[in-house]
Amino acid sequence: MTDGITNHSHSPIAAMFDRISPRYDFLNHLLSLNIDKIWRRKTVKTIAIRHPEQILDLATGTADLALQLAKSLPEAHITGLDFSAKMLEIGKEKVEKQGLENSIQLQQGDAAHLPFASGTFDAVTIAFGARNFEDLPSSLKEIHRVMKPNAQLCILEFSMPQSFPIKQAYLFYFKHILPKIGSWISKDKSAYSYLPASVQNFPPPNTFINILREKGFQQVEKKSLSFGIATLYSAFK
């Protein structure tokens, strides 16, 4: 469950997302019991208040968040960037199917080396992709660079719930049930064992807030979603 990857072109993680791309959307909604759609709507709402015109959706994957942004903000232009070519192919099909080619442009690229001029975007969004960045500090520095002054960054990411018994149930599901269903449907065992590991390796919410501040972001806030299974971060340049 990640909205894609921005990574080094020969990265095994990028290759993994290429492999699971055909079953990716179906599995995402199944494994999150469709709650991922509600979380994305909250992310869009947080961004839409300020009516940004130029939005960068990083680790756009199959363009789920980009599509929701385009529907909520018909005036906006959205650039979706991802390192998995196969995920982007599926994203492009979805964009065309919904007739949103004028609003959404998808391209392949790396979050640590963004191909955009400084001060380009009014808003940057990342849904379930930050934990896949090979170089998180460099990626955050680059994101800060391409944002306009006062632009907003919204990051939606999985987190580890802390309260009993949610934490215990979540860990059991994540370590035993999710990899089995995921590998059975996607035929890729490594992908769905990578997922729990990547969530556990990502900095906890309070640590991540400090990392964002260190990279120059201000007004950094977090909102815990669904008992802490996901966290929505908001920050400004």
Side-chain angles (χ1 to χ4, degrees):
M1 261 177 289
T2 154
D3 273 14
I5 185 81
T6 48
N7 227 311
H8 194 265
S9 53
H10 302 296
S11 153
I13 305 171
M16 178 191 80
F17 279 105
D18 278 346
R19 290 197 307 275
I20 64 170
S21 60
R23 311 295 289 155
Y24 177 80
D25 280 344
F26 170 73
L27 268 167
N28 239 4
H29 305 319
L30 174 75
L31 294 172
S32 73
L33 310 172
N34 264 339
I35 303 171
D36 62 316
K37 292 179 180 174
I38 298 166
W39 294 337
R40 277 196 199 85
R41 279 202 291 274
K42 283 193 192 321
T43 308
V44 171
K45 225 172 171 178
T46 307
I47 283 286
I49 298 165
R50 294 163 60 91
H51 297 283
E53 286 171 17
Q54 291 289 339
I55 304 172
L56 173 62
D57 183 40
L58 276 177
T60 195
T62 61
D64 269 355
L65 186 61
L67 288 162
Q68 279 190 333
L69 285 163
K71 285 170 199 162
S72 291
L73 295 158
E75 302 299 306
H77 181 268
I78 297 138
T79 304
L81 192 88
D82 200 280
F83 222 102
S84 165
K86 293 268 167 53
M87 298 278 274
L88 287 169
E89 277 171 30
I90 292 166
K92 280 174 185 167
E93 281 170 25
K94 282 157 70 172
V95 169
E96 282 164 22
K97 208 174 184 177
Q98 298 188 35
L100 289 166
E101 305 95 314
N102 293 336
S103 305
I104 301 171
Q105 179 205 349
L106 300 180
Q107 63 187 85
Q108 200 171 4
D110 181 351
H113 307 280
L114 293 172
F116 309 109
S118 299
T120 300
F121 297 98
D122 304 301
V124 178
T125 56
I126 311 168
F128 308 119
R131 69 177 192 284
N132 298 318
F133 292 161
E134 216 158 64
D135 186 344
L136 185 62
S138 293
S139 299
L140 291 172
K141 199 175 161 189
E142 271 290 84
I143 290 164
H144 192 274
R145 178 185 68 78
V146 301
M147 289 166 70
K148 290 178 188 171
N150 303 316
Q152 185 176 16
L153 168 66
C154 260
I155 298 176
L156 174 62
E157 191 49 272
F158 285 110
S159 44
M160 296 303 296
Q162 295 307 311
S163 61
F164 178 86
I166 307 287
K167 182 181 182 177
Q168 286 70 16
Y170 180 72
L171 280 172
F172 181 80
Y173 172 72
F174 229 46
K175 285 184 168 172
H176 303 288
I177 298 168
L178 185 146
K180 279 194 177 110
I181 301 173
S183 60
W184 177 58
I185 294 175
S186 70
K187 305 284 182 274
D188 194 307
K189 195 165 188 274
S190 63
Y192 287 90
S193 51
Y194 162 81
L195 176 65
S198 69
V199 174
Q200 284 180 293
N201 293 336
F202 193 72
N206 290 337
T207 309
F208 189 52
I209 278 181
N210 289 333
I211 293 169
L212 287 167
R213 289 190 181 126
E214 280 163 21
K215 294 297 161 202
F217 290 97
Q218 294 173 354
Q219 293 169 261
V220 186
E221 291 175 2
K222 68 174 168 57
K223 187 184 276 183
S224 181
L225 305 173
S226 303
F227 307 105
I229 292 171
T231 302
L232 179 57
Y233 303 89
S234 169
F236 291 87
K237 176 170 173 174

